[in-house]
Each structure stands twice: as structure tokens, then as C-alpha cells.
Amino acid sequence: MKIAIVGATGAVGQQMLQCLEERNVEGEVKLLASSRSKGKVVSYKGKDLVIEELCEDSFNDVDYALGATENDITKMWMPWAQKNHVVVVDNSSAYRLDKDVPLVIPEINPEDIQKHHGIIANPNCATIIALVALNELKKEFGIKRMIVSTYQAVSGAGVKGIHDLEAQAKDPSIPSTAFPYQIAYNLIPQIGDFDDQGISKEEWKMQNEGRKIWHDENLLVSCTCVRVPILRSHSESIFIECEKEVDVAKARACIEKAAGCQLKDDPQNKIYPMPLDTTNQDDVFVGRFRKDIADPSGHSLSLFCCGDQIRKGAATNAVQILQELLK
Ligand SMILES: NC(=O)c1ccc[n+]([C@@H]2O[C@H](COP(=O)([O-])OP(=O)(O)OC[C@H]3O[C@@H](n4cnc5c(N)ncnc54)[C@H](OP(=O)(O)O)[C@@H]3O)[C@@H](O)[C@H]2O)c1
């Protein structure tokens, strides 16, 4: 069996290779990227793998592919993969909302994987982190409406975003390549283009993708997405309005049993989720639970969560889907 990583030199692609090794996924691995990376060597399970240039024939000997390229590049190579009956788990947003493409978080809707027609999409990274944190709370209290503010790490914009922050932290006059403004010592309340209502593409994703993953067309999400000068791990401040009256002790118990979550909620002892603590591991940390005082009905809860968006928000989630396919 052969697994290709398409975009193997990027932030997500490199992490995918590490996840395949950590999870001891069986099969040969083929690494594909642009002509810029052709011939570079990376180590995998104690052996050297050479990066190949992506071309139309790249998929002739491939069974499964993990996609980690931008939308335009993904749309270019997907027909080549489909022609060769390759099953693709894709990280771009190119196919996420297509009717015959399952959008999957294995902790939430693994049963959707089997409905695929050759493509399974990995959801948006901030959406994965929020939904993993909220899934058991949704079962317990019934979430009607969410208001979310994100604090998104620069690596969410790929390798270029990491380079911008590292360079500007030393010399703020270095121009950004991944962002519209300087990101070091700053934050930017824009991720993606705005529509004529003033809502950015990234801000639409949590409602659109959340509805598909949870199979809940009534879900309402208002989101403000902000890029912050953090290298890795997204953070999210979340308000949920629920069908039932909420209870903080019950909410904590939900997180204790939730797959992929760790409860970090003892504020008096300075215990709460922080992005440095979630960096380079797979769990979403959840805490800062309190009944929201802006809703006297007692049906609303506020919380804070963090998760490594290159791992659980992208590579780990994709490799988990692949492992489900291989079962
Ligand atoms: N970063 C995150 O936290 C995150 C989270 C969730 C989803 N995603 C999504 O995952 C995808 C990858 O993101 P990323 O952050 O890893 O981006 P990235 O660091 O910029 O990496 C992009 C990858 O695409 C390759 N590539 C570019 N042009 C190509 C071409 N013409 N042919 C073949 N390969 C080409 C690059 O290869 P070269 O090195 O050779 O240029 C590189 O391997 C995107 O769709 C992104 O939206 C990212």
C-alpha cells in the first residue's frame, strides 16, 4: 500500500509525516511538493525519503493521499488522483462543503467516512478545535447559538507565517509575506477576504462546517477571527446559548469524558488552557467555565479552549481519518 503526502514540505505536510511515523501507520510513503522542493531528503522511520515534484503521473502507484496544499493547487491535482482511484483526505477548503464529500472529525462523526466517493475533507482548524471542545456540551445542553472569538497562530498561514513572525520579532521593519500587516507585537482582525456584510471567509467556516459535521442545519455561529503573534496553537473564547439550563459542574464532567479533550479549569490556582501548553500535542484543552452573566435565563456558558491547529486542527485529524479508512 502506498500513501502520498501532497504538499509534504509545508507546515501541515511535515506534521502529517511525523503523525504517520508516531502512529506507526503501515505502508510506503511518497512525498510530493513543487519543483522548488524536488530532490530534498527527509527522514522517515529511519530511512531517507526524497521529495518528488508533483505531476500528472504522481498518483499512478498511490492508494491513499493526504492533501496539504492550497485550494488552487488541490483543484489542479485532485482529478489526477481521482483518475487513479486514489482515496484522498484533503486539508484544503476546496471540497469541504460539496454534497458527496464527507467532512469529518473522527471524535464526532466517524460514521460519515464510509459515505465517501474518493474524497474526505478535513474541516477548518479553528472549527475542529471548537467542535472537539463543544461536542459533549452539545449532547448535554443542546447548543443553539455560539459567539466565538479566535486567537489564531501564525502557522495557520503555513511556513510563510512562521517565518514572518520569527523575522519580525527580531526586526519589525521586515515586510510580511503571509499577512496584510506586521504581525510581531501586533494582532490582525482579518483572516481571509471579507464579503459585503463584512464577514471574512474564515468567519463563515465555523457555522457552515459546524452544521455539516453536527448534522444540525439550525446551528447559529457568530465568529470574529483574529491572527495573533503566537507561533503555534489556536485559542478560542466561546459563548454558547443552550436549549437547557447550564451547570458548570456538569460542563466540567462533559469535558472529562470527551474524546480528545483535557479539562484545565482551576482558575484560582491559575490553571486554564494556554497555547504554549497545547503546542505539539493532540488534545484540545478546555477551561475557564462560567455561567454567562449576560444571559439571566441561565442557559448560557462561557469557556476558553486551545489546540494545536497543525496537529489536531489538520495533520492528526487527517491521519486519524486515514486510520479509520484502513481498518
Ligand atoms: N497551517 C495550518 O495550521 C492549517 C490548518 C488546517 C488546514 N490547513 C490547510 O492545509 C493546506 C496546507 O497548508 P500549510 O499551512 O501546510 O501551507 P504551506 O506551509 O504554505 O505549505 C504548502 C505546501 O504546498 C506545496 N505546493 C505549493 N505549490 C505547489 C505546486 N505547484 N505543486 C505542488 N506542491 C505545491 C508546497 O511545496 P513547496 O515547499 O515545494 O513550495 C508546500 O509543501 C492549506 O489548504 C491550508 O489551508 C492549514
Side-chain angles (χ1 to χ4, degrees), residues 56 119 181 186 203 207-208 238-239 256 283 293 297-298:
E56 197 159 351
I119 308 172
Y181 294 99
N186 193 18
E203 288 163 353
Q207 175 167 288
N208 292 340
I238 302 179
F239 163 98
E256 274 176 331
D283 286 342
I293 53 172
S297 78

Side-chain angles (χ1 to χ4, degrees), residues 108 131 134-135 138 146 210-216 219:
I108 299 177
L131 267 60
L134 295 174
N135 196 45
K138 188 172 194 298
M146 299 161 44
R211 286 179 175 186
K212 183 165 175 176
I213 296 159
W214 270 334
H215 299 281
D216 178 0
L219 180 73

Side-chain angles (χ1 to χ4, degrees), residues 104-111 113 122-123 128 132 259 312 316-322 324:
V104 175
I105 300 175
E107 289 83 353
I108 299 177
N109 60 334
E111 65 285 353
I113 294 174
N122 224 37
I128 294 180
V132 166
K312 184 56 198 164
T316 302
N317 198 76
V319 173
Q320 284 176 297
I321 294 170
L322 176 69
E324 289 286 331

Side-chain angles (χ1 to χ4, degrees), residues 7-9 32-39 51-54:
T9 50
L32 300 166
S34 78
S35 55
R36 294 177 288 274
S37 306
K38 186 179 172 185
I51 311 261
E52 296 174 40
E53 181 180 352
L54 175 68

Side-chain angles (χ1 to χ4, degrees), residues 74-90:
T74 307
K75 283 188 172 161
M76 173 186 80
W77 61 259
M78 192 62 82
W80 306 340
Q82 297 214 290
K83 195 174 72 187
N84 286 286
H85 307 288
V86 175
V87 178
V88 180
V89 184
D90 181 39

Side-chain angles (χ1 to χ4, degrees), residues 6-13 32-38 40 54 67-71 73-74 76-77 91-93 96 122-125 155-160 234 309-310 313-314:
V6 193
T9 50
V12 175
L32 300 166
S34 78
S35 55
R36 294 177 288 274
S37 306
K38 186 179 172 185
K40 282 186 188 164
L54 175 68
T69 53
E70 292 300 332
N71 287 7
I73 308 292
T74 307
M76 173 186 80
W77 61 259
N91 266 271
S92 79
S93 58
R96 283 182 193 150
N122 224 37
N124 161 260
C125 46
S155 52
V159 167
K160 276 186 185 171
H234 289 353
Q309 94 291 344
I310 303 181

